[in-house]
Amino acid sequence: MALARDARRHSLLSKLATNDSHGENSPYFDGWKAYDNNPYHPITNPEGVIQMGLAENQLCSDLIEDWVKRNPKASICTVEGVSEFKDIALYQDYHGLPAFRNAMAKYMRKVTGGRARFDPDRIVMSGGATGANELIAFCLADPGDAFLIPTPYYPAFDRDLRWRTGVQLVPVVCESSNDFKITRFALEEAYDKAQEDNIKVKGVIIANPSNPLGTILDRETLTSLVSFINEKNIHLVCDEIYAATVFKQPDFISISEIVKDDTNCNLDLIHVVYSLSKDLGLPGFRVGIVYSYNDNVVSCGRRMSSFGLVSTQTQYLITAMLSDDEFVDNFVEESGRRLASRHKVFTQELAQVGISCLNSNAGLFCWMDLRPLLDNASHEGETALWRTIINEVKLNVSPGSSFHCPEPGWFRVCFANMDENTMNEALQRIRTFVSKSKKSAKSRRSRSSLRLPMCHLIRMLGPLIPLFVMRLLEAILAMVMHI
């Protein structure tokens, strides 16, 4: 009955709106729902779920708040800034405020250490990186076309890039044996497989720094990617929204730095997605951009950006903030210091209980190796472990399968979206869980070692005791082994 009702409701909507390409039927989003239904609070709900599945940068919110207090003119909703209210509240050009684009270009150059320049006239606005990724997919590909994307990758790419565009994502399989690095062999293999399946490949999409790995791509890998896409005459889209979250060496290298001196590169194939959601910790401001070296993409993207513009009020405030060189320099330095400190404490505490993480130097998360805790080395075993962590340990961490990781047992855990007390509570829950898991595993091994000689003994006694007694002994032994 309920299924019939749902079917009738769906029939009233478009197939595009109701298809499953949104990607939200995933443990990644299920974990968020578990948190929403029972959120942790140290006073009112100390047994609730702690949110460790959300990549938010809350470690420097105080610096932003302090700047806002010291710069009341930057907002049109204050007594000091209200004189600009009328002009800012009226319609603006789709290109965005010139001062905003200049400030963004300047900030992006600073994030790359001044090694790459960005032309303000190539900046296309969008509502966060989500809108920017969809916009570039619309511009570059037709429904049914595909992008190659290295695994593991951000789960919401399935929604952002595919749902309303009809674009496909073809995984480029990367493995833990070489720290999930992108190889030319894996790229060629994925490309050839798509060709065999009659799928038209329009480009490669990468996240640098990587979400969920927290690693950056080195110069050799970036150069190899540029060479690959030029040979195939396909696009390269680089999502660089974690560029300023790099907290230790080696330094971040933007694709813009790689291509600036490459005379053999067709710049029409190079595009960058950027946002202030992660680097400045402002996801609610929905400041996203596409930076393209292709004039036609810039022109087309600006026409499309009318569906997801950044509000002029936000542009006005961000312009003032990013134009304050002293603030920006201090923020980037302090953010890196705080991220490095949190990452060090978090990974060292995990190491104390035997949990290792992929060696990383960027992002707001760790790629945690829980393979030793799997009852069986499969995605089913990973899902069972994830459900235990969600329902019993009350931590929302994201299983590797939701990131399309081919190897079961890896989990992404976020560490920058909580205060120190909450982090300590989360670590204590992890310590308790791992301790119990080790004791349980030891008990299982002991019972298993006991079962073999007992079984042999029953078989040896078989000729000497009645059949029904032997069957009874076997049943009792089986029950004991499962206690």
Side-chain angles (χ1 to χ4, degrees):
M1 194 76 170
L3 290 174
R5 268 199 311 271
D6 287 342
R8 284 198 300 272
R9 286 171 185 160
H10 272 195
S11 69
L12 297 174
L13 305 179
S14 72
K15 292 179 181 178
L16 188 61
T18 55
N19 71 47
D20 289 332
S21 297
H22 52 71
E24 291 191 4
N25 297 327
S26 159
Y28 177 74
F29 292 104
D30 287 344
W32 285 27
K33 294 168 188 173
Y35 168 77
D36 289 339
N37 291 333
N38 184 25
Y40 168 80
H41 188 278
I43 306 299
T44 60
N45 192 22
E47 303 302 318
V49 177
I50 295 177
Q51 175 63 286
M52 305 187 81
L54 182 60
E56 277 187 341
N57 187 358
Q58 297 186 25
L59 299 186
C60 288
S61 299
D62 60 309
L63 301 182
I64 300 284
E65 291 170 5
D66 181 63
W67 185 89
V68 171
K69 291 175 184 177
R70 291 186 289 104
N71 293 272
K73 282 189 175 182
S75 172
I76 61 171
C77 295
T78 61
V79 173
E80 294 83 355
V82 74
S83 61
E84 300 293 329
F85 182 91
K86 182 179 179 181
D87 288 340
I88 295 301
L90 298 176
Y91 276 116
Q92 303 291 336
D93 194 295
Y94 291 161
H95 294 191
L97 299 175
F100 169 76
R101 289 186 284 111
N102 285 327
M104 284 296 300
K106 181 180 177 182
Y107 179 71
M108 290 171 68
R109 183 182 182 190
K110 189 180 292 289
V111 166
T112 63
R115 297 182 299 274
R117 291 180 177 272
F118 297 91
D119 181 354
D121 290 333
R122 292 197 171 278
I123 287 178
V124 179
M125 290 188 304
S126 183
T130 294
N133 278 309
E134 185 183 65
L135 185 151
I136 197 68
F138 263 119
C139 287
L140 301 183
D142 292 314
D145 293 345
F147 288 96
L148 306 183
I149 185 165
T151 62
Y153 65 82
Y154 173 50
F157 275 156
D158 291 318
R159 174 198 63 200
D160 302 352
L161 297 163
R162 297 173 55 226
W163 186 18
R164 301 194 299 182
T165 65
V167 167
Q168 300 186 64
L169 297 180
V170 175
V172 177
V173 178
C174 303
E175 301 173 337
S176 64
S177 57
N178 71 337
D179 295 332
F180 297 99
K181 291 180 179 176
I182 306 168
T183 65
R184 181 63 181 256
F185 175 81
L187 285 166
E188 294 283 1
E189 190 173 48
Y191 183 86
D192 291 344
K193 178 66 167 57
Q195 297 288 91
E196 290 173 9
D197 294 338
N198 293 316
I199 298 172
K200 186 176 183 179
V201 176
K202 293 301 296 286
V204 178
I205 291 179
I206 60 169
N208 181 35
S210 167
N211 176 10
L213 302 178
T215 56
I216 63 170
L217 299 184
D218 57 34
R219 189 176 297 274
E220 181 181 3
T221 301
L222 289 168
T223 302
S224 176
L225 280 163
V226 170
S227 173
F228 175 80
I229 62 103
N230 272 275
E231 287 178 18
K232 307 298 186 186
N233 195 37
I234 59 177
H235 297 276
L236 177 59
V237 179
C238 299
D239 186 326
E240 298 185 349
I241 69 170
Y242 289 96
T245 68
V246 178
F247 48 80
K248 64 179 180 180
Q249 296 291 325
D251 291 334
F252 168 72
I253 303 173
S254 171
I255 195 65
S256 297
E257 182 181 346
I258 297 297
V259 302
K260 69 175 182 179
D261 298 321
D262 187 347
T263 56
N264 295 319
C265 177
N266 178 2
L267 289 177
D268 281 345
L269 302 176
I270 307 297
H271 321 275
V272 177
V273 170
Y274 189 62
S275 166
L276 298 181
S277 296
K278 311 301 182 180
D279 287 352
L280 281 182
L282 300 174
F285 279 39
R286 312 309 301 145
V287 179
I289 68 163
V290 169
Y291 185 91
S292 178
Y293 291 87
N294 186 313
D295 292 340
N296 291 328
V297 169
V298 172
S299 177
C300 178
R302 282 192 171 148
R303 290 195 296 271
M304 291 185 59
S305 69
S306 60
F307 295 102
L309 288 173
V310 180
S311 77
T312 49
Q313 179 185 355
T314 299
Q315 291 182 55
Y316 186 74
L317 176 65
I318 292 298
T319 298
M321 186 181 295
L322 297 186
S323 299
D324 186 339
D325 291 332
E326 183 179 354
F327 165 77
V328 171
D329 290 341
N330 177 65
F331 183 93
V332 172
E333 181 179 349
E334 182 63 13
S335 176
R337 188 190 68 77
R338 295 184 188 184
L339 283 169
S341 176
R342 177 62 66 89
H343 177 271
K344 181 178 180 180
V345 170
F346 193 76
T347 53
Q348 285 182 346
E349 288 291 329
L350 291 178
Q352 289 293 319
V353 293
I355 296 177
S356 63
C357 295
L358 186 72
N359 186 29
S360 60
N361 70 323
L364 312 173
F365 32 72
C366 296
W367 192 233
M368 187 168 61
D369 185 1
L370 297 187
R371 287 177 294 179
L373 299 183
L374 295 179
D375 282 340
N376 62 83
S378 66
H379 286 298
E380 289 76 17
E382 178 185 275
T383 299
L385 177 59
W386 170 75
R387 292 192 186 284
T388 298
I389 295 172
I390 281 281
N391 298 323
E392 298 180 20
V393 189
K394 301 293 180 65
L395 297 177
N396 175 29
V397 299
S398 306
S401 57
S402 62
F403 293 84
H404 301 270
C405 182
E407 301 175 24
W410 292 90
F411 288 73
R412 192 192 74 170
V413 55
C414 300
F415 58 76
N417 65 329
M418 64 191 78
D419 59 33
E420 188 172 351
N421 289 335
T422 303
M423 181 189 71
N424 289 334
E425 170 64 21
L427 288 169
Q428 181 55 47
R429 293 184 186 187
I430 292 172
R431 283 190 288 267
T432 301
F433 170 64
V434 172
S435 176
K436 287 182 178 178
S437 297
K438 287 180 177 178
K439 288 179 181 177
S440 177
K442 185 177 180 180
S443 176
R444 286 196 301 272
R445 286 195 297 270
S446 297
R447 291 198 299 269
S448 179
S449 63
L450 174 65
R451 180 172 190 166
L452 192 58
M454 288 295 290
C455 288
H456 284 319
L457 179 60
I458 290 173
R459 291 194 189 99
M460 288 173 62
L461 293 174
L464 305 178
I465 58 177
L467 180 62
F468 80 91
V469 175
M470 186 172 71
R471 292 286 181 260
L472 180 61
L473 288 173
E474 288 176 343
I476 293 172
L477 178 62
M479 290 174 62
V480 170
M481 292 302 106
H482 284 88
I483 293 177

